Amino acid sequence: MKKRSLAAMAAFVFGCAVVTTAMAGDACQTCWQRYNKCVSMLDVQTCEYQVANCLKSNGCPNPPW
């Protein structure tokens, strides 16, 4: 149950990021800013998955991992 809650929270954080990136000048930078915020609240694996999706949806380079 806890993992589902964390995944839902991460999805919400990055869902908000998608809306924000539509208005931001640099969508890739915004994905990484959201990743840093996510890592401070959730586990790294969940955040890595979310940032990879954010970067992919905005046509950004793949993450380094």
Side-chain angles (χ1 to χ4, degrees), residues 47-61:
C47 299
E48 286 177 353
Y49 174 77
Q50 295 295 331
V51 76
N53 286 338
C54 181
L55 293 170
K56 182 178 178 182
S57 69
N58 287 296
C60 304

Side-chain angles (χ1 to χ4, degrees), residues 16-28 30-31 34 54 58:
C16 293
V18 171
V19 172
T20 303
T21 56
M23 296 178 267
D26 187 359
C28 301
T30 303
C31 289
R34 297 294 177 176
C54 181
N58 287 296

